[in-house]
Structures are given as structure tokens and as C-alpha cells.
Amino acid sequence: MSKVGISSQGPRRILLADCDMFFVQVARLEDPEGAGREPLLLVGGRSNRGVITSASYAAREYGVRSGMPTSRARQLCPEAVVVPVPRGACVERSRAIRAVLEDLSPVVQAASIDEFYLDLTGTERLFKGEDLAATADRIRMTVHDRTGVAVSLGGGAQRVVAKVATRLAKPNGVHVVPPGGEAAFMSRFPLAALPGIGPAFLERLAAKGLRTAADAAAVEGEWLARWFGPRRGAWLWERVRGIDASEVDARERRKSISSERTFFADIDDDEELERRLLELSCSVGSQLRGKELRARTITVKIRDYDFRTRQAGGTQPDGIETDRAIFAVALSLLHTLRHRRNAGVRLLGVGVSNLVQQAPVTQGDLFGEQATLETARDRTIARAVDRIRNRYGREALRPARVLDRPEE
DNA sequence: TCTGGGGTCCTAGGACCC
DNA sequence: TCTGGGGTCCTAGGACCC
């Protein structure tokens, strides 16, 4: 009994619900009279340095792709209208979609803002023998009815199969691969279509003459391991056959939080960088406290004028959560990075990871109060500030005061 | 054409401990 | 005396995804 994807109850029933050009759809829903009427619509950064986040299908006919610099997209499709990403609305719609899916499926895992894996294994009797494609179509219609967003669903007994099947489902459709048909299904696709194979790996594959999943499936596993390493090789051997044991896991926990900004023009001035660093630290800090977490590791990221990207990080023995402490650590990391290379800065970012649960504010701070980066008092103040901001808006209290203490 | 912002995972080397 | 092996944590960088 070693057939992969076959549990004791039979094959798993996995679906991937993927929103069609999500950001474009949301932009249209938010502004039906404006963006809603533009067939050639691009959503993305409008600054001189932005990229396209999402392009309408009509605009894709011109060769526009997401991730493409906006300047390039304008060249390819001069008549297109570019609108900014409606961030807040996207987050709201995403939550609404998720809520609908959770009504319809026992297990839902958000893979990104616009993609959700569902595991319907064990629902056969509940759904009175409805086959997976019919279930998928029912879900597609329900999501559209309740949220206004068109989604496509791919399905199969493995995540990777559901994912690749989504390509055939778009737009606004369904494609389910029957159990047992995985290998034949996967063999139709170029290796570039497999999730996890990007430009770098694609190049190494091409160097061995491998371009399609069928090419790779024809090679002995031993050779794949020799060429690409044991892990990569085994992974590839499985994926091109549609084998994927990974599960749909509903209890996902955030592992990192970050905030970064690409500047309109490169910044060389240290004081200006420090001001930006402060803003980023505050943004990360408020998100962290909003999730009732603390971070042990703080990371600062710099992208220099020439696109060289560097980072420095530091791990504390205990988690911190206040803007002041995050900024204090970030500032010394920034100095380290600037000392290593002092060049014009294109992008600056602050990230936190190694996240730990918040402890009650008054507990556990009796020792080493002086030595720690952050005192119980600091945390009490930070949380009070958060409450005021939540009630009266972000601008009710400006960040600078809290961080103006002289001792750093 | 000139490269966003939010993430996850992997690797490799060094420190440190037993 | 002159050098083992394994585990874990940390750091930096890179690949990849949407």
C-alpha cells in the first residue's frame, strides 16, 4: 500500500481556488465607472520605479505580464490605463472569499491573498456522491455570488496537480484531474509550468536537455539526483509524475513580518535613511503587536543603487514588540550595512522573524529590566498608543516622540 | 525595459555544546 | 595529546511564489 496520494479512505480530494487576475478584478469592483470600464487595465506601481502587479486579459494579449516594469508595460500597450493597487479592498475581498470557502470546505489554507487550497477528503457522503468537478463548480458559483469575484478551480488528489490544473481552468472555470491520471496529465506541461521551478532551475534543466515534464519523467531518478542533488532530484522525479505528499494545512502561522520601500530616487543621506528606517520599524511594530506577537530576530535589508541587495540581522534572547526597541536594533544593523558599503540606497526594509507569543505585559520582567532592550513600561505605552490609533486613526499620534529618547 | 512588496523555503558555513 | 561526530542555533544569500 504505497501508492502516493491514496489514503485509507481513497484518493484525497484537493481543490485550489485561484482568483482570476485578482487585483484587476478588485480594482474594477471598487471603481465600476472608471477602472470597471477599461478593458486594457493594469494594476501596479505608478511611480517611476513601479512594476505591474496584475494585467487584464486583454492587456496580456499585448505581452504585458505581472512583475514587468510599468515603463515597459506602457511601451507594449500604450492605451492601457494604470491604476494603483487597491490594497485595503484586496485584503477585504480576500477575507470574504476565505469565509465563503470555509463554509463550503472542512479544510481551507490560504496560499496567498488570492489562492486557497481546499481539502474535501471525507466529504463524499456529505455531498451525496457529487463528483469533485461538480463540487468545484458549485464552489466557483457560490464564491462569485457572494463576493462578486470570479475564481477558477483546479482539482486532483495532490496539491501540485490541483495547482497545475488551475491553468486549464482559467478563466472562471474548473478542471479536475481524475485519480490515476496524474502522470499523464503532468506530462503535457513544460517544466516551467511546475510550481517551484523558476528561471534559475529552468536553465540548469535546459542544460541537460530537459524542457518538458515528459522529458524529465523519461530520466532515471539516479541521474536526476546526480545532476541536481539528491533532494532536488527526488523532488523533480516526484513532481513530474504528479506525486506530492504535502497536505493542505489550515493552521498556518505567520513566520515573518516585513515592510520595505523602494524610493522615488536613491537616498544617500544617513539622516534621511534613519527617518525612513523609523517609519518602517513603526509599521512592522504595529503589525506585530496587532497579532499579539513578539520578535526575536530583526533584519534590515538594503538594495543599493546598482540593485545589489544585502541584509543584516540580529537575534535577541527575548522577543521584542515596541517600535522603540525594533528601531534601536534596526538602527545598529543599518549602520553595519552602511559601513560595509556606503552607496546610494534604492530600497530599505525592516523585517522581523523568530516570532513568539506575547506574554502578559506585567509578567516576567522582574529580572534584567535595565539590561533588556524593552521594559514593561515601554510595552504598556506602545499598547496604549495602539489603542488610541485604533480609535482615532494613524495620525492621532505621530511616532517620533516615543523614539526620541537620548540613551541610544 | 530596468527591475514592487509581501512572503516561504533551502543551503552553507561558523559557533557552540556535549 | 594535537584533534571526532552530531545536533542546534544563527547568519547571509538566493530561489521562488503571487
mmCIF file of all heavy atoms in Angstrom, chain A residues 10 28 87 103 134 149 152 206 298 302 307 318 328 334 360:
data_model
loop_
_atom_site.group_PDB
_atom_site.id
_atom_site.type_symbol
_atom_site.label_atom_id
_atom_site.label_comp_id
_atom_site.label_asym_id
_atom_site.label_seq_id
_atom_site.Cartn_x
_atom_site.Cartn_y
_atom_site.Cartn_z
ATOM 1 N N GLY A 10 -9.193 6.314 0.338
ATOM 2 C CA GLY A 10 -9.185 6.546 -1.099
ATOM 3 C C GLY A 10 -8.433 7.799 -1.413
ATOM 4 O O GLY A 10 -7.807 8.384 -0.524
ATOM 5 N N ARG A 28 -11.677 46.878 -10.455
ATOM 6 C CA ARG A 28 -12.911 47.118 -11.218
ATOM 7 C C ARG A 28 -14.123 47.145 -10.308
ATOM 8 O O ARG A 28 -15.022 47.980 -10.473
ATOM 9 C CB ARG A 28 -13.078 46.034 -12.284
ATOM 10 C CG ARG A 28 -12.113 46.237 -13.439
ATOM 11 C CD ARG A 28 -12.270 45.140 -14.477
ATOM 12 N NE ARG A 28 -11.542 45.515 -15.696
ATOM 13 C CZ ARG A 28 -11.174 44.660 -16.633
ATOM 14 N NH1 ARG A 28 -11.465 43.378 -16.507
ATOM 15 N NH2 ARG A 28 -10.535 45.087 -17.700
ATOM 16 N N ARG A 87 -5.083 48.165 -2.113
ATOM 17 C CA ARG A 87 -4.605 47.232 -1.074
ATOM 18 C C ARG A 87 -5.687 46.799 -0.088
ATOM 19 O O ARG A 87 -5.946 45.620 0.106
ATOM 20 C CB ARG A 87 -3.443 47.847 -0.290
ATOM 21 C CG ARG A 87 -2.102 47.556 -0.886
ATOM 22 C CD ARG A 87 -1.215 46.750 0.090
ATOM 23 N NE ARG A 87 -0.419 45.773 -0.659
ATOM 24 C CZ ARG A 87 -0.598 44.459 -0.613
ATOM 25 N NH1 ARG A 87 -1.550 43.948 0.119
ATOM 26 N NH2 ARG A 87 0.161 43.647 -1.299
ATOM 27 N N ASP A 103 -17.099 28.008 4.641
ATOM 28 C CA ASP A 103 -18.461 27.483 4.743
ATOM 29 C C ASP A 103 -18.635 26.204 3.923
ATOM 30 O O ASP A 103 -19.516 25.398 4.206
ATOM 31 C CB ASP A 103 -19.467 28.506 4.185
ATOM 32 C CG ASP A 103 -19.873 29.522 5.230
ATOM 33 O OD1 ASP A 103 -19.508 29.324 6.404
ATOM 34 O OD2 ASP A 103 -20.547 30.494 4.861
ATOM 35 N N ALA A 134 -17.975 18.651 -10.018
ATOM 36 C CA ALA A 134 -19.269 19.292 -9.738
ATOM 37 C C ALA A 134 -19.185 20.116 -8.460
ATOM 38 O O ALA A 134 -19.725 21.223 -8.375
ATOM 39 C CB ALA A 134 -20.362 18.226 -9.629
ATOM 40 N N VAL A 149 -16.415 37.995 -6.929
ATOM 41 C CA VAL A 149 -15.106 37.709 -7.507
ATOM 42 C C VAL A 149 -15.139 36.382 -8.283
ATOM 43 O O VAL A 149 -15.604 35.364 -7.772
ATOM 44 C CB VAL A 149 -14.016 37.635 -6.407
ATOM 45 C CG1 VAL A 149 -12.663 37.276 -7.002
ATOM 46 C CG2 VAL A 149 -13.931 38.970 -5.662
ATOM 47 N N SER A 152 -11.239 30.465 -10.413
ATOM 48 C CA SER A 152 -11.128 29.212 -11.145
ATOM 49 C C SER A 152 -10.622 28.156 -10.187
ATOM 50 O O SER A 152 -9.870 28.461 -9.265
ATOM 51 C CB SER A 152 -10.149 29.365 -12.312
ATOM 52 O OG SER A 152 -10.616 30.355 -13.209
ATOM 53 N N ALA A 206 17.513 22.920 -18.712
ATOM 54 C CA ALA A 206 17.712 23.045 -20.157
ATOM 55 C C ALA A 206 19.112 22.597 -20.555
ATOM 56 O O ALA A 206 19.318 22.008 -21.620
ATOM 57 C CB ALA A 206 17.460 24.494 -20.594
ATOM 58 N N ILE A 298 15.535 40.645 14.219
ATOM 59 C CA ILE A 298 15.255 41.852 13.436
ATOM 60 C C ILE A 298 16.219 41.841 12.253
ATOM 61 O O ILE A 298 17.411 41.568 12.417
ATOM 62 C CB ILE A 298 15.499 43.133 14.263
ATOM 63 C CG1 ILE A 298 14.847 43.035 15.645
ATOM 64 C CG2 ILE A 298 15.037 44.370 13.499
ATOM 65 C CD1 ILE A 298 13.371 42.923 15.653
ATOM 66 N N ILE A 302 18.840 46.243 2.538
ATOM 67 C CA ILE A 302 19.171 47.388 1.693
ATOM 68 C C ILE A 302 19.332 46.910 0.262
ATOM 69 O O ILE A 302 19.919 45.855 0.032
ATOM 70 C CB ILE A 302 20.498 48.046 2.150
ATOM 71 C CG1 ILE A 302 20.268 49.011 3.305
ATOM 72 C CG2 ILE A 302 21.176 48.787 1.002
ATOM 73 C CD1 ILE A 302 21.532 49.741 3.725
ATOM 74 N N PHE A 307 21.260 47.773 -7.570
ATOM 75 C CA PHE A 307 20.373 46.629 -7.370
ATOM 76 C C PHE A 307 21.011 45.514 -6.555
ATOM 77 O O PHE A 307 20.443 44.448 -6.407
ATOM 78 C CB PHE A 307 19.854 46.070 -8.714
ATOM 79 C CG PHE A 307 18.402 45.670 -8.642
ATOM 80 C CD1 PHE A 307 17.407 46.626 -8.559
ATOM 81 C CD2 PHE A 307 18.034 44.344 -8.628
ATOM 82 C CE1 PHE A 307 16.073 46.273 -8.474
ATOM 83 C CE2 PHE A 307 16.694 43.961 -8.538
ATOM 84 C CZ PHE A 307 15.721 44.942 -8.469
ATOM 85 N N ASP A 318 15.278 37.479 23.986
ATOM 86 C CA ASP A 318 13.835 37.533 24.216
ATOM 87 C C ASP A 318 13.161 38.337 23.107
ATOM 88 O O ASP A 318 13.772 39.210 22.510
ATOM 89 C CB ASP A 318 13.535 38.212 25.565
ATOM 90 C CG ASP A 318 14.147 37.432 26.717
ATOM 91 O OD1 ASP A 318 13.802 36.248 26.873
ATOM 92 O OD2 ASP A 318 14.988 38.008 27.431
ATOM 93 N N ALA A 328 15.770 50.532 17.586
ATOM 94 C CA ALA A 328 17.128 50.562 18.154
ATOM 95 C C ALA A 328 17.991 49.463 17.531
ATOM 96 O O ALA A 328 19.142 49.698 17.150
ATOM 97 C CB ALA A 328 17.070 50.392 19.673
ATOM 98 N N LEU A 334 21.511 48.902 10.404
ATOM 99 C CA LEU A 334 21.674 49.812 9.259
ATOM 100 C C LEU A 334 23.093 50.365 9.224
ATOM 101 O O LEU A 334 23.723 50.428 8.164
ATOM 102 C CB LEU A 334 20.660 50.958 9.350
ATOM 103 C CG LEU A 334 20.789 52.053 8.283
ATOM 104 C CD1 LEU A 334 20.488 51.502 6.894
ATOM 105 C CD2 LEU A 334 19.886 53.245 8.588
ATOM 106 N N PRO A 360 1.852 38.166 28.993
ATOM 107 C CA PRO A 360 1.142 39.270 29.640
ATOM 108 C C PRO A 360 2.121 40.392 29.991
ATOM 109 O O PRO A 360 3.253 40.116 30.382
ATOM 110 C CB PRO A 360 0.563 38.629 30.902
ATOM 111 C CG PRO A 360 0.509 37.176 30.608
ATOM 112 C CD PRO A 360 1.622 36.896 29.650
#
